[in-house]
Structure formats: structure tokens, C-alpha cells
């Protein structure tokens, strides 16, 4: 009888240990599944938040660039008219200054001007005078405009000679195929 009692106690103890092991494994599996579910949810939430922020930034950048494109288009139309009507470069410069002031005050406080090469002369709407060795035709904005052949084009961001900052620019070659306009603004942060 004693032997059977000892065997019975071992059987109960073994069952108790087996139950503990099964419970421990079940808790571990449930914990793992819960952690994995929380991880997947946090990754999906983070990705969703990132996509939303990226979409918002894209919309802001599109609006920002659209203002510049509109400025170039309107200014180009008016200057092409002025060139056809034989306005002087002084008249055109006055117009560029007026447009630059308008865009700076009413459209974009960061705007740095509309300028370009008109009748082989550099004209700057904010009055910047480049160094004597400055050749606008050698600048990337002029080359991009020539390559786009009369269409407004975004210029690869570049370091501006006037402000020493990275600029977002849109340039356009005018009807005479030698005059060129440029709209610049610092790259948005």
C-alpha cells in the first residue's frame, strides 16, 4: 500500500509539474502573440502617420512650387509683350522690381526675386548687382531654361551666388531664345 501511495504522490506531482509547464507555455505563447500584435499595430500606426505627414508635406510643396510657376508664367507673358513692343531694359527692370516687391510682400515672405537676362543684360528685380565675373549664361538656371526651350522648368536646387543658400528656382527661356527669367526662393525646410 505504501508503494502505491508513493506512486500516486509521484503521479500527482508529475501532473502538477506538467500542468505548471503547460500553463507557463500557454502564458509565454499568449504573451508572444500579444506583443507581436502590439508590434504590428504600432508599425502600421507609425507607417500610417508617416504616410499622412508625407502627403501633407507633398501638398504644401506642390502649393509652394505652384506659386513660383505662376509667377514665372505671368511675368514671362508680360515681359515678352514688353520685348515685342520694344520697351527699354529700364522699363523692364522697373517691372521686375514691381513684381518682386509684390511677390515678397503679398505672396511669399521668403521670395528672393525675379531676375534674368533680357537683351543680353542681367536685370535683377531686387537690385542685386553681381560681381564683374558673373556670367548668367553659365549658371544652371540659364542652361536649364535653354534646355526646356520656352517651357518653364524647375532648376536643380543650387547654391545661390547672392544669398549663399540652397535655392528652389523656376526658369524660362523667352520667345527671343536668349532672354531668360528666373524665380527664386529658399528651399522650404
Amino acid at each position: 500500500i505504501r508503494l502505491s501511495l508513493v506512486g500516486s504522490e509521484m503521479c500527482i506531482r508529475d501532473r502538477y509539474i506538467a500542468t505548471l509547464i503547460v500553463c507557463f507555455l500557454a502564458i509565454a505563447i499568449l504573451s508572444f502573440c500579444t506583443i507581436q500584435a502590439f508590434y504590428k499595430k504600432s508599425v502600421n500606426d507609425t507607417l500610417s502617420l508617416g504616410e499622412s505627414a508625407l502627403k501633407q508635406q507633398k501638398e504644401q510643396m506642390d502649393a509652394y512650387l505652384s506659386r513660383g510657376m505662376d509667377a514665372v508664367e505671368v511675368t514671362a507673358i508680360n515681359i515678352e509683350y514688353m520685348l515685342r513692343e520694344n520697351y527699354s531694359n529700364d522699363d523692364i527692370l522697373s517691372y521686375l522690381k514691381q513684381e518682386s516687391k509684390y511677390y515678397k510682400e503679398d505672396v511669399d515672405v521668403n521670395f528672393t526675386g525675379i531676375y534674368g537676362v533680357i537683351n543680353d543684360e542681367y536685370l535683377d528685380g531686387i537690385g542685386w548687382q553681381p560681381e564683374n565675373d558673373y556670367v548668367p549664361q553659365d549658371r544652371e538656371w540659364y542652361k536649364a531654361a535653354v534646355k526646356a526651350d520656352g517651357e518653364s522648368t524647375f532648376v536643380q536646387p543650387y547654391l545661390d551666388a547672392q544669398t549663399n543658400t540652397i535655392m528652389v528656382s523656376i526658369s524660362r527661356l523667352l520667345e527671343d531664345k536668349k532672354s531668360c527669367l528666373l524665380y527664386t526662393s529658399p528651399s522650404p525646410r
Side-chain angles (χ1 to χ4, degrees), residues 52-65:
S52 176
L54 186 60
K55 182 179 178 184
Q56 184 179 11
Q57 286 292 318
K58 179 193 176 304
E59 289 170 358
Q60 289 174 349
M61 181 59 86
D62 287 347
Y64 182 78
L65 295 174

Side-chain angles (χ1 to χ4, degrees), residues 68-81 83-84 114-118 140-155 169-184:
M69 186 66 79
D70 291 345
V72 169
E73 293 294 325
V74 169
T75 305
I77 289 168
N78 288 320
I79 290 183
E80 285 173 339
Y81 170 80
L83 288 171
R84 282 191 304 272
I114 297 179
Y115 52 93
V117 177
I118 308 295
E140 288 303 313
W141 55 266
Y142 188 91
K143 292 175 185 178
V146 169
K147 187 176 180 182
D149 194 31
E151 297 294 321
S152 294
T153 186
F154 292 102
V155 179
S169 300
I170 303 164
S171 63
R172 179 175 171 174
L173 189 67
L174 300 182
E175 291 173 342
D176 66 1
K177 301 296 182 194
K178 61 181 182 172
S179 297
C180 175
L181 285 179
L182 180 69
Y183 167 97
T184 63

Side-chain angles (χ1 to χ4, degrees), residues 83 87-89 92 117-121 123 176 178-180:
L83 288 171
Y87 279 66
S88 71
N89 274 12
I92 293 172
V117 177
I118 308 295
N119 295 323
D120 294 319
E121 182 182 349
L123 303 177
D176 66 1
K178 61 181 182 172
S179 297
C180 175

Side-chain angles (χ1 to χ4, degrees), residues 101-114:
K101 181 180 178 192
Y102 165 74
Y103 284 108
K104 177 114 177 132
E105 291 176 357
D106 296 340
V107 179
D108 183 359
V109 68
N110 296 314
F111 170 74
T112 57
I114 297 179

Side-chain angles (χ1 to χ4, degrees), residues 30-95:
L30 284 173
S31 296
F32 175 77
C33 290
T34 302
I35 290 169
Q36 187 175 16
F38 280 132
Y39 173 76
K40 284 182 180 179
K41 173 123 175 73
S42 67
V43 166
N44 287 337
D45 288 350
T46 301
L47 289 174
S48 179
L49 184 62
E51 287 173 1
S52 176
L54 186 60
K55 182 179 178 184
Q56 184 179 11
Q57 286 292 318
K58 179 193 176 304
E59 289 170 358
Q60 289 174 349
M61 181 59 86
D62 287 347
Y64 182 78
L65 295 174
S66 179
R67 284 192 310 261
M69 186 66 79
D70 291 345
V72 169
E73 293 294 325
V74 169
T75 305
I77 289 168
N78 288 320
I79 290 183
E80 285 173 339
Y81 170 80
M82 293 172 88
L83 288 171
R84 282 191 304 272
E85 296 297 316
N86 296 315
Y87 279 66
S88 71
N89 274 12
D90 287 339
D91 291 333
I92 293 172
L93 178 59
S94 177
Y95 172 73

